[in-house]
Amino acid sequence: MTNSPIKHAPHLPPSTTATPDHQLRSPKSNRGLRKLQSAHQLSANYAASNTPSLISQQRQQQQRNTSSSHHAQAPQIPPLPTFSSHHRTRSNSDAILPNGANNTTASRRPAAARKNPANPREELEAMIRQGPQGELQTELARLRHLVLCEGLLADSDGMSQLRIYVWLILLNAPAMPTESYLDLIRRGASPAYSKIRNDTFRTLATNPLFKRRVSEASLIRLLNAIAWKLHDAKTEKLGDATKINAATELGSPELQHASPVVKHAQGPPTATATDGSEAGGTEPGVYVQGMNVLCAPFLYAARSEAEAFVAFHVFVTRECPGYVRGAMDGVHKGLALVDKCLAIVDPKLSTYLQSKHMKAELYAFASVLTMCACTPPLPEVLQLWDFLFAYGPHLNILCICAQLVMMRETLLTSPSPTKLLRSFPPLQAKLIIEITVSNLRKIPADLYEELVHHAE
């Protein structure tokens, strides 16, 4: 056979001493076999009974003494094992080396294991627990990529041990002592307390998951604390503006009460402090309708009210302050952007809806204001928010367009799409994210800039 492995085996060098013929031939008779056995027994008996002479014993004793004198200077090396040609050679991990040298190979194994790519979910957990191990921006980019491609591990109810911490990191939320949150609670009812109580009882009222985990009392406390926080910031801002105007434009502060022009220039700060959400168009509000739904996912995902408070406060003051102003100018800008973006990603569907006089302000107001939190199921909302916090809440506009694209065939064949758009179908976060990322490439740079800044 040409493919025999014997042909490819290494050839041993020929022996230098001749071998007798009777050793090469196998015995063909019982008599020859007995001869070989007898010869073997004789050689064994000779080796056992053949003791060395006295001179040989003295020489061996001298060699032992000499070797023992050098034993402390040179370590004893074990004899090399001999192998037959058909046995495998012993590996380094099997060999018994002096001074415990085998521990070095055991210590190298974890290093070899670290070269292999780790489980992405384990990598995400290690990143959250241990913090960034390299450059901060690189680690943040890696975190966003893991959120997008792998997602956060959660149960059927959408609960994840890491979600609130991922949100706090992506929102760059500062650490806040729990006592600071409790101080806001101890202040009692805020100027917007009555409006808060009118909204909290109907917050995700038909969602059993939310009702089972979050009580109305928690929702009232958090929204009331947020109202106090926004009220204090607004009062401080108005106070600073009043001092500047009094010192530069309006003359002496002692004479301000005497001039009606000065009173008109100062504006009605007491009205905004008491009316809550009835703030002016460009001034930051204290509470607007819809903040209760926007706050709900934070309370559901967080482990404490203090964590939810920090995340929600950073979100409404940094990411979408235009959504919580009295006039909700950021929400109206977002509705206009829904129409613009839909005209680019799906011109046919946009033209059809426009022919039916269906603008985004008629069907997408709640979705824009609440970042799609008004559309069940809640676990899908949380997964969608993972994506929005990773790459920007402004992408919620494109997520709304993605939901319209998913309804495309039904809308185009319906003579009255108004009924279909009164409530969106249940969220499918993964599919919505895929469509959003795909449509993002179609958005021009100038329109994308509007998306980024529309909620400021």
Side-chain angles (χ1 to χ4, degrees):
M1 296 177 62
T2 58
N3 294 330
S4 174
I6 300 177
K7 291 186 177 181
H8 302 283
H11 296 282
L12 297 176
S15 176
T16 57
T17 59
T19 305
D21 293 340
H22 67 82
Q23 294 184 11
L24 297 178
R25 296 193 301 268
S26 60
K28 297 183 179 180
S29 62
N30 295 332
R31 183 177 181 183
L33 181 60
R34 285 196 298 269
K35 287 183 178 180
L36 289 178
Q37 291 177 351
S38 300
H40 176 71
Q41 291 176 358
L42 289 174
S43 61
N45 295 333
Y46 175 79
S49 62
N50 190 18
T51 58
S53 62
L54 295 177
I55 298 176
S56 300
Q57 292 179 10
Q58 291 177 356
R59 288 180 179 176
Q60 292 177 2
Q61 184 66 27
Q62 292 176 357
Q63 292 177 358
R64 292 193 195 98
N65 296 336
T66 304
S67 61
S68 62
S69 63
H70 296 285
H71 178 72
Q73 300 178 0
Q76 183 179 2
I77 301 177
L80 295 176
T82 57
F83 307 100
S84 57
S85 60
H86 61 277
H87 289 166
R88 73 171 180 88
T89 59
R90 180 177 293 176
S91 63
N92 292 333
S93 60
D94 296 334
I96 302 176
L97 301 180
N99 301 328
N102 291 77
N103 296 333
T104 58
T105 57
S107 62
R108 294 194 193 101
R109 290 176 183 175
R114 285 194 296 267
K115 294 181 181 179
N116 298 327
N119 185 357
R121 296 188 185 276
E122 295 179 357
E123 180 183 357
L124 178 61
E125 183 176 356
M127 189 181 299
I128 300 301
R129 295 183 182 277
Q130 303 174 9
Q133 302 298 320
E135 187 179 355
L136 180 59
Q137 296 300 325
T138 303
E139 293 295 314
L140 281 175
R142 178 59 179 166
L143 176 61
R144 294 187 180 99
H145 185 266
L146 289 174
V147 170
L148 175 64
C149 298
E150 302 297 332
L152 300 180
L153 184 63
D155 58 18
S156 58
D157 294 342
M159 299 304 302
S160 172
Q161 296 181 353
L162 300 178
R163 173 165 283 124
I164 187 61
Y165 303 112
V166 173
W167 287 4
L168 291 171
I169 292 172
L170 295 174
L171 292 173
N172 194 21
M176 187 196 74
T178 305
E179 193 65 26
S180 300
Y181 174 70
L182 295 178
D183 290 340
L184 296 172
I185 299 299
R186 295 188 187 104
R187 293 172 64 175
S190 68
Y193 181 75
S194 60
K195 295 182 179 295
I196 292 173
R197 290 301 304 268
N198 290 335
D199 291 342
T200 53
F201 73 93
R202 55 189 174 207
T203 303
L204 303 184
T206 59
N207 194 313
L209 295 178
F210 180 77
K211 290 297 182 182
R212 185 170 65 242
R213 179 172 175 82
V214 181
S215 65
E216 184 183 359
S218 297
L219 196 59
I220 293 172
R221 283 193 298 267
L222 193 145
L223 290 173
N224 192 70
I226 288 290
W228 272 125
K229 193 77 172 177
L230 297 178
H231 173 268
D232 293 345
K234 184 176 181 179
T235 303
E236 182 180 357
K237 181 178 179 181
L238 291 175
D240 294 341
T242 302
K243 293 179 181 178
I244 294 174
N245 291 335
T248 58
E249 299 178 2
L250 303 177
S252 175
E254 290 81 3
L255 301 177
Q256 289 181 14
H257 64 280
S259 174
V261 178
V262 173
K263 293 181 180 180
H264 178 72
Q266 289 179 352
T270 56
T272 56
T274 56
D275 293 343
S277 62
E278 303 300 328
T282 59
E283 293 296 329
V286 174
Y287 177 82
V288 295
Q289 190 175 10
M291 285 178 64
N292 56 319
V293 180
L294 195 61
C295 171
F298 288 101
L299 273 174
Y300 186 83
R303 295 193 170 195
S304 66
E305 291 181 22
E307 287 180 343
F309 172 81
V310 173
F312 183 56
H313 179 259
V314 171
F315 180 69
V316 298
T317 55
R318 293 183 188 174
E319 301 297 335
C320 56
Y323 285 14
V324 297
R325 294 193 184 104
M328 299 183 180
D329 53 333
V331 179
H332 293 289
K333 291 179 182 178
L335 292 171
L337 288 172
V338 171
D339 292 330
K340 290 182 180 180
C341 293
L342 184 62
I344 294 175
V345 301
D346 197 333
K348 183 177 180 180
L349 178 59
S350 175
T351 303
Y352 180 75
L353 293 179
Q354 293 294 333
S355 66
K356 300 294 183 179
H357 305 287
M358 288 296 298
K359 293 186 177 181
E361 60 185 8
L362 299 178
Y363 60 84
F365 186 88
S367 297
V368 173
L369 174 60
T370 65
M371 300 286 171
C372 296
C374 60
T375 307
L378 188 55
E380 296 293 321
V381 173
L382 300 178
Q383 187 177 352
L384 183 62
W385 277 30
D386 295 340
F387 167 71
L388 294 179
F389 291 163
Y391 291 94
H394 59 277
L395 293 178
N396 178 58
I397 303 300
L398 293 179
C399 290
I400 297 173
C401 294
Q403 295 178 70
L404 295 173
V405 172
M406 293 168 60
M407 302 169 60
R408 186 177 191 274
E409 299 301 328
T410 306
L411 291 174
L412 291 177
T413 57
S414 174
S416 179
T418 306
K419 297 180 180 179
L420 297 175
L421 294 176
R422 286 177 180 173
S423 60
F424 282 15
L427 286 180
Q428 302 178 44
K430 188 174 181 179
L431 182 57
I432 291 174
I433 293 172
E434 292 178 358
I435 298 175
T436 298
V437 174
S438 177
N439 290 337
L440 189 59
R441 305 167 186 170
K442 305 177 183 178
I443 303 300
D446 55 344
L447 183 57
Y448 187 78
E449 285 295 320
E450 292 186 42
L451 285 174
V452 172
H453 300 290
H454 80 277
E456 295 179 353

